[in-house]
Amino acid sequence: MIQAIRGTKDILPDTIDYWSYLEATAKAVSESFAYKEIRTPIFEKTEVFSRGVGEGTDIVNKEMYSFTDRGGESITLRPEKTAAIVRALVQSSLYQQQPTTRLWYFAPFFRYERPQKGRLRQFHQYGAECVSSPYPESDVEIISLAVAYCKALGIDDYKLLINTLGNEKSRADYKEVLIAYLLENKDKLSGDSQSRLEQNPLRVLDSKAEQDKAVVENAPNIIDSLDEESKAHFDQVISSLKAMGINFTLQPRLVRGLDYYSHTVFEFQHSSLGSQDSFGGGGRYNALFSQLGGKETPAVGFAMGVERLLIILEALGKLPPMEPIAEYYVLAADSKYIDKAFEVSSALRSKGKKVLTDLVRRSFKAQMRDAGKSNVSYVVIIAEDELSRDSLLVKNMSNSEQNEIKITEFIESL
Ligand code: HAM
């Protein structure tokens, strides 16, 4: 038997309704904030991500599905969408025509990670990007959109962590202070962190290694390195979130695993996820457009992992009930009435009804059993007696009531 690739999952009909629900809710909530959907190719030139997400990140260094295509070009299955969207906007010049471009997506992504609960090699994200405003209002809009999605799904016991990385100058100042501190404590750090220390010191702050945690705990705080502009931006984000009644926790060690962030960064965590407790995250990325060859353009966005949302909803008992596959079961009591069954089914479908019929010539009884198992609301029975009077029998499955009705009348009544 050929197995699916490790870390990938088939979404079979027994769970597809959950996926449809998450996507329909994403669409409804996004549209309520006036966001429009964007779809980009599933693969991109590798440089979109190596330059966009950053050469020093785990995603680019260890997790990308990259290959050389037949034309000799290095191609990568997208590990995330933000860099790809920026590439698309720069290419189409769309973002230059409007004061703000608001976009959402619900799509598959690929990262070569070690699979475990909530961590796959092909996974899905719902995300949104708000492009062109440098002001804290758009950070707040993006965070409140993410919060609105959680609320619409009935997830309210999450933790929202927030931090700022400041502007470029503040970050450079902070990196200097941080490197000096980490160098003093180099012996106590893990091998990974020692090698990251100078190239990407911020990443040491979210190291999961126990021995790093003690060092990180006493590390200098970025808040102390912020200049006036960075501080004012963050203060406004905080005060607007408070005004909107959005609960959050300030987390000065939160840096996130992608290089493109500046100013506000945030992450959503939920206790049901175990060690992979983060189910969403995002932040501002003011330098990404120019890094990918566009005009300097401020932007902010977030993404949430769909598989992780499903784990949370299951733990909370908030998965939606599965939709019955059909409302009507058209039952031909004998194979002689197949054509009549087709005619009635077509008429029902043309009225917008979902209709199920038997395709394997089951007996009357077996079809009734099938109708019961399929959870339909009505069984429409086509049988000799009724047909001789141009009628059929309609059985209401919720109370077992059965009524004879003229075929024409039945169709008209729908
Ligand atoms: P990210 O934090 O890398 O951010 O991913 C966002 C979410 O995707 C994670 O919180 C997690 O729920 C889910 N996720 C990531 N990797 C996996 C995996 N291997 N298996 C299952 N779920 C996973 C980004 O991707 C940024 N593009 C977010 C963003 C948008 N920032 C600004 N705009």
Side-chain angles (χ1 to χ4, degrees):
M1 184 179 43
I2 303 175
Q3 299 272 348
I5 293 172
R6 194 163 119 83
T8 69
K9 266 194 187 152
D10 301 307
I11 303 165
L12 297 172
D14 61 344
T15 57
I16 196 70
D17 284 0
Y18 305 149
W19 287 80
S20 307
Y21 164 71
L22 285 176
E23 183 165 3
T25 309
K27 181 175 159 71
V29 175
S30 305
E31 288 180 353
S32 77
F33 281 73
Y35 281 60
K36 260 210 111 45
E37 187 177 3
I38 182 168
R39 297 183 188 184
T40 60
I42 223 149
F43 50 20
E44 295 277 348
K45 290 184 182 170
T46 297
E47 64 187 313
V48 168
F49 305 110
S50 54
R51 271 162 59 188
V53 175
E55 296 280 6
T57 61
D58 279 354
I59 295 180
V60 171
N61 280 338
K62 303 184 191 159
E63 297 168 5
M64 289 208 303
Y65 275 95
S66 300
F67 60 95
T68 308
D69 74 4
R70 288 172 192 274
E73 185 136 54
S74 178
I75 305 283
T76 294
L77 298 185
R78 59 180 182 207
E80 62 107 48
K81 188 89 150 186
T82 311
I85 287 179
V86 170
R87 194 272 309 140
L89 292 181
V90 170
Q91 187 176 337
S92 67
S93 316
L94 199 66
Y95 69 111
Q96 292 176 0
Q97 293 156 18
Q98 288 163 321
T100 46
T101 307
R102 295 172 160 99
L103 303 165
W104 70 275
Y105 52 89
F106 190 102
F109 297 90
F110 307 86
R111 294 185 193 176
Y112 192 84
E113 294 195 77
R114 201 164 41 77
Q116 61 179 75
K117 179 184 165 193
R119 192 161 72 191
L120 290 116
R121 290 182 174 171
Q122 178 178 336
F123 61 99
H124 298 73
Q125 288 181 345
Y126 159 54
E129 314 289 344
C130 180
V131 178
S132 299
S133 164
Y135 300 112
E137 289 87 312
S138 55
D139 310 39
V140 174
E141 178 171 288
I142 273 291
I143 293 172
S144 55
L145 170 54
V147 166
Y149 187 57
C150 293
K151 188 163 178 226
L153 297 178
I155 303 172
D156 46 23
D157 55 344
Y158 57 81
K159 212 164 158 187
L160 169 57
L161 304 178
I162 296 199
N163 190 24
T164 178
L165 303 177
N167 59 16
E168 215 175 313
K169 183 180 172 301
S170 300
R171 219 161 39 257
D173 288 349
Y174 178 59
K175 273 186 186 170
E176 231 172 79
V177 183
L178 183 62
I179 290 175
Y181 169 80
L182 293 175
L183 280 174
E184 269 169 39
N185 295 281
K186 192 169 176 180
D187 302 346
K188 298 181 209 147
L189 290 172
S190 68
D192 254 2
S193 288
Q194 289 192 14
S195 57
R196 268 194 194 132
L197 197 158
E198 285 186 66
Q199 197 199 2
N200 207 342
L202 291 181
R203 296 286 289 131
V204 176
L205 294 182
D206 71 352
S207 162
K208 301 269 181 286
E210 277 309 316
Q211 64 190 109
D212 293 338
K213 284 185 182 162
V215 179
V216 166
E217 215 170 87
N218 298 311
N221 197 325
I222 186 144
I223 304 284
D224 301 323
S225 298
L226 295 182
D227 64 5
E228 279 310 308
E229 185 218 341
S230 304
K231 217 172 139 5
H233 186 101
F234 195 50
D235 287 347
Q236 183 59 52
V237 172
I238 296 297
S239 88
S240 294
L241 290 177
K242 282 187 181 155
M244 293 181 76
I246 294 176
N247 290 324
F248 59 87
T249 308
L250 290 177
Q251 170 49 277
R253 307 279 177 250
L254 180 70
V255 291
R256 311 243 324 117
L258 304 92
D259 275 354
Y260 48 59
Y261 292 115
S262 56
H263 289 288
T264 318
V265 286
F266 54 91
E267 217 156 87
F268 288 83
Q269 297 183 343
H270 196 273
S271 54
S272 64
L273 292 170
S275 63
Q276 300 297 313
D277 61 355
S278 160
F279 66 96
R284 181 166 274 286
Y285 50 94
N286 288 351
L288 190 52
F289 276 80
S290 48
Q291 262 162 35
L292 291 177
K295 194 179 88 175
E296 202 169 298
T297 307
V300 53
F302 77 88
M304 284 185 179
V306 178
E307 285 80 0
R308 294 189 192 175
L309 286 166
L310 284 171
I311 295 174
I312 297 170
L313 290 177
E314 188 174 9
L316 297 176
K318 289 195 173 159
L319 285 169
M322 294 292 272
E323 292 270 324
I325 194 151
E327 193 181 354
Y328 288 87
Y329 194 107
V330 174
L331 185 160
D334 188 286
S335 55
K336 312 192 267 238
Y337 309 127
I338 284 174
D339 288 346
K340 200 68 191 168
F342 275 128
E343 197 187 313
V344 173
S345 305
S346 299
L348 280 166
R349 290 186 184 117
S350 70
K351 299 274 183 179
K353 304 296 179 194
K354 296 185 198 167
V355 182
L356 181 65
T357 58
D358 171 57
L359 296 178
V360 289
R361 301 194 176 174
R362 272 177 276 211
S363 67
F364 183 95
K365 251 184 151 172
Q367 287 188 66
M368 270 319 247
R369 257 199 314 272
D370 188 32
K373 263 198 284 181
S374 308
N375 233 346
V376 297
S377 308
Y378 302 97
V379 182
V380 178
I381 301 163
I382 299 168
E384 186 159 10
D385 271 7
E386 290 78 15
L387 211 50
S388 69
R389 296 187 287 273
D390 284 328
S391 297
L392 36 74
L393 268 181
V394 179
K395 179 169 181 177
N396 182 333
M397 297 296 274
S398 60
N399 55 13
S400 294
E401 242 174 51
Q402 217 163 265
N403 283 309
E404 183 174 333
I405 179 167
K406 289 268 183 232
I407 297 180
T408 45
E409 226 175 276
F410 171 65
I411 304 286
E412 269 163 30
S413 73
L414 291 168

